[in-house]
Amino acid sequence: GAVVSQHPSRVICKSGTSVKIECRSLDFQATTMFWYRQFPKKSLMLMATSNEGSKATYEQGVEKDKFLINHASLTLSTLTVTSAHPEDSSFYICSARGSGRRAITDTQYFGPGTRLTVL
Amino acid sequence: GDSVTQMEGPVTLSEEAFLTINCTYTATGYPSLFWYVQYPGEGLQLLLKATKADDKGSNKGFEATYRKETTSFHLEKGSVQVSDSAVYFCALVPRSYNTDKLIFGTGTRLQVFP
């Protein structure tokens, strides 16, 4: 089936630095990508939706200047956490929806997630 | 607003036991309902789905029936295996949205012992 990868799987950074997380669709074209955040023992919360070549749509309460999303190609989206602080520590998960031989239309395929720890 | 409620885990079972993970939802209209599974170290995978009332989704021996009258979508399997150990997420996509915005429950961890 369709595969989505994320890099890095874990990252530890100092407070005030910026961190970039990559999300790639490996064997299909992702016309839409989603970024989620998961707190311990909580459900996944949608942060933003991005369509290739256009600006991301952020959910209410998500700071777009804090969480920069770029969806520059049909196989890559990036999430940059700018000026990270300890409260940004979380598990970030991306998903992709698209078309191709290996992707079922209207189905979201999820990456394995990135654990961010801000010291 | 729209929401999904799942039973808290972990659910601990012996191999070949019967599994039920409860899921209820609150939504306007008729949402689409999903079960996702997350194996250790992997991303969420779609397990099954149902798009209208009385539909039954099934996959890999798992089943769930869309019950509009009880607003439920309970996951069941007749005989679990050790390899079924994972976290299971119930989710919905509201009909009122033009996008496929998934709303998730908190997840239920299943542990199956030999």
Side-chain angles (χ1 to χ4, degrees):
Chain A
V3 178
V4 174
S5 70
Q6 279 185 243
H7 178 78
S9 57
R10 292 177 180 270
V11 57
I12 301 173
C13 68
K14 292 182 179 179
S15 186
T17 60
S18 294
V19 174
K20 180 183 284 188
I21 302 170
E22 293 186 346
C23 176
R24 293 181 184 273
S25 58
L26 299 185
D27 47 7
F28 67 102
Q29 294 184 324
T31 49
T32 306
M33 284 187 166
F34 306 83
W35 286 95
Y36 295 84
R37 183 172 178 178
Q38 186 178 26
F39 294 97
K41 298 186 179 180
K42 300 286 188 183
S43 62
L44 283 74
M45 301 297 295
L46 181 66
M47 299 173 66
T49 303
S50 72
N51 293 298
E52 185 265 338
S54 60
K55 290 184 178 180
T57 302
Y58 289 81
E59 294 298 304
Q60 192 172 8
V62 178
E63 300 175 60
K64 56 184 175 184
D65 294 331
K66 172 78 170 174
F67 299 99
L68 300 178
I69 291 171
N70 185 288
H71 190 169
S73 77
L74 283 171
T75 59
L76 174 65
S77 176
T78 59
L79 167 68
T80 301
V81 183
T82 62
S83 187
H85 288 93
E87 59 265 29
D88 299 324
S89 299
S90 193
F91 195 57
Y92 293 88
I93 302 172
C94 73
S95 72
R97 180 173 62 88
S99 60
R101 193 159 52 90
R102 295 188 177 275
I104 300 172
T105 305
D106 295 333
T107 295
Q108 288 189 38
Y109 296 92
F110 285 79
T114 297
R115 172 77 58 193
L116 170 63
T117 303
V118 184
L119 303 175
Chain B
D2 300 321
S3 65
V4 175
T5 302
Q6 284 182 244
M7 60 190 293
E8 285 194 27
V11 173
T12 303
L13 295 173
S14 298
E15 206 165 24
E16 299 183 4
F18 184 85
L19 168 72
T20 300
I21 299 178
N22 290 338
C23 171
T24 57
Y25 66 88
T26 301
T28 54
Y30 301 96
S32 294
L33 302 174
F34 304 80
W35 276 101
Y36 281 83
V37 58
Q38 185 176 30
Y39 298 103
E42 299 182 16
L44 277 75
Q45 302 173 25
L46 178 63
L47 181 59
L48 53 85
K49 69 179 182 181
T51 57
K52 61 182 187 295
D54 300 325
D55 267 2
K56 177 186 284 188
S58 61
N59 186 23
K60 298 181 181 179
F62 291 89
E63 292 183 342
T65 301
Y66 190 143
R67 301 285 187 199
K68 173 175 169 290
E69 61 277 11
T70 54
T71 61
S72 65
F73 193 54
H74 304 321
L75 182 68
E76 296 182 337
K77 186 173 185 181
S79 176
V80 293
Q81 304 300 312
V82 173
S83 57
D84 293 326
S85 298
V87 180
Y88 293 82
F89 292 89
C90 186
L92 66 83
V93 171
R95 285 269 190 253
S96 57
Y97 284 91
N98 292 323
T99 64
D100 52 354
K101 172 181 174 178
L102 277 164
I103 296 173
F104 285 91
T106 54
T108 302
R109 182 174 298 279
L110 170 65
Q111 297 175 327
V112 181
F113 293 97

